[in-house]
């Protein structure tokens, strides 16, 4: 299905003007995600799709000689160019971006839940990999403890239903471990690793109100022990 470029850019800029990714528990999650994914990324060149405010980029920049950032929001791209002058910033929708360059690592931090055709994007990303390269993708998990509790309390119809935070972020879907693995394999990629992080029993608002930084760090790590019910899940894939 063809993408309405202007409409999608406007949608992304509206999200960017009130983004929550660089705040509170979301920010802690992005940073922990970077530490987890750093165990798997490789090589000298990296493509980051959907860097948003550039929090993950802070970890990627010192790890790679060549860093290319692609985001569809003009607001985010202007800030990224200023914040990360050593990176190449491309303001484009993933569906319209083209390159002859090949990358050792491609990072999609909280991207697949946003796009209209995640398998199509993964398939295209596989074509941008250098030989031996890896795709690293993280998404929220529908089976997270806090979402299961919300269903039991009648706050969510079912685990995959979009909540207020999902709608604010512009999510189009909520993955579970099976559907994430299915999209990777359906895109013709090889699944090299699956995991999770952030065991999340309550909402971000409750965490930010009541938890200490030490508690948040501990529950980020605990999620790695229980990936199927962690707040966030990730995959490592190759072409």
């Amino acid at each position: 299905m063809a993408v309405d470029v202007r409409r999608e850019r406007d949608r992304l800029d509206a999200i960017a003007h009130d983004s929550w990714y660089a705040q509170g528990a979301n920010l802690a999650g992005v940073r922990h995600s970077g530490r987890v994914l750093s165990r798997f990324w490789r090589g000298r060149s990296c493509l980051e799709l959907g860097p948003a405010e550039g929090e993950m980029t802070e970890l990627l920049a010192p790890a790679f000689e060549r860093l290319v950032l692609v985001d569809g929001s003009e607001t985010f791209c202007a800030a990224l160019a200023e914040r990360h002058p050593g990176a190449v910033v491309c303001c484009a929708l993933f569906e319209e971006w083209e390159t002859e360059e090949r990358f050792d690592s491609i990072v999609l931090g909280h991207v697949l839940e946003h796009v209209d055709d995640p398998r199509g994007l993964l398939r295209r990303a596989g074509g941008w990999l250098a030989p031996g390269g890896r795709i690293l993708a993280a998404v929220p998990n529908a089976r997270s403890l806090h979402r299961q509790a919300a269903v039991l309390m009648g706050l969510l119809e079912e685990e995959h239903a979009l909540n207020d935070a999902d709608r604010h972020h512009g999510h189009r879907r909520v993955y579970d471990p099976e559907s994430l693995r299915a999209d990777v394999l359906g895109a013709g990629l090889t699944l090299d690793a699956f995991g999770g992080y952030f065991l999340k029993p309550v909402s971000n608002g409750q965490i930010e109100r009541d938890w200490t930084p030490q508690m948040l760090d501990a529950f980020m790590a605990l999620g790695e022990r229980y990936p199927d019910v962690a707040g966030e899940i990730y995959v490592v894939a190759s072409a």
Side-chain angles (χ1 to χ4, degrees):
M1 182 173 63
V3 174
D4 184 328
V5 174
R6 187 67 262 168
R7 182 175 180 179
E8 186 67 6
R9 283 182 177 272
D10 289 344
R11 188 182 80 90
L12 293 173
D13 265 326
I15 294 168
H17 280 298
D18 188 21
S19 174
W20 297 347
Y21 281 122
Q23 302 175 22
N26 282 328
L27 176 56
V30 172
R31 290 174 175 171
H32 193 86
S33 174
R35 291 191 288 272
V36 170
L37 297 183
S38 71
R39 303 167 193 166
F40 301 98
W41 64 49
R42 55 173 56 176
R44 297 181 177 182
S45 62
C46 178
L47 168 64
E48 185 182 10
L49 299 175
E53 291 94 339
E55 296 297 337
M56 177 77 76
T57 318
E58 291 286 347
L59 301 173
L60 296 170
F64 293 95
E65 295 178 12
R66 170 79 171 170
L67 180 59
V68 176
L69 312 176
V70 180
D71 202 285
S73 163
E74 295 175 4
T75 300
F76 278 149
C77 285
L80 286 165
E82 182 175 352
R83 184 174 179 182
H84 301 285
V88 175
V89 179
C90 304
C91 191
L93 301 182
F94 309 136
E95 296 86 353
E96 64 177 343
W97 189 66
E98 300 286 349
T99 183
E100 296 298 320
E101 190 169 357
R102 298 296 177 261
F103 300 89
D104 299 313
S105 296
I106 299 178
V107 176
L108 300 89
H110 285 228
V111 165
L112 296 176
E113 68 270 27
H114 288 266
V115 297
D116 184 62
D117 180 10
R119 289 193 187 188
L121 176 57
L122 286 168
R123 193 174 296 112
R124 297 192 77 213
W128 297 328
L129 283 174
R134 285 176 166 173
I135 293 171
L136 317 167
V139 298
N141 182 13
R143 209 161 289 144
S144 174
L145 292 179
H146 82 289
R147 296 185 74 95
Q148 293 192 53
V151 173
L152 293 175
M153 290 187 289
L155 301 177
L156 272 183
E157 183 177 348
E158 55 94 18
E159 295 163 4
H160 300 82
L162 298 178
N163 61 28
D164 289 343
D166 291 318
R167 286 186 284 270
H168 179 90
H169 291 310
H171 295 173
R172 287 184 160 112
R173 67 192 57 80
V174 188
Y175 278 97
D176 57 37
E178 292 78 20
S179 61
L180 179 57
R181 288 190 285 254
D183 272 359
V184 170
L185 297 175
L189 300 172
T190 297
L191 181 64
D192 298 320
F194 166 84
Y197 56 93
F198 195 5
L199 195 64
K200 184 180 178 184
V202 294
S203 70
N204 279 4
Q206 291 166 305
I207 289 169
E208 290 159 8
R209 184 188 67 210
D210 299 326
W211 287 22
T212 66
Q214 292 79 11
M215 289 175 66
L216 187 51
D217 287 345
F219 277 83
M220 287 287 173
L222 274 174
E224 297 185 48
R225 301 183 185 182
Y226 308 102
D228 281 354
V229 294
E232 314 286 337
I233 49 178
Y234 67 87
V235 289
V236 179
S238 55

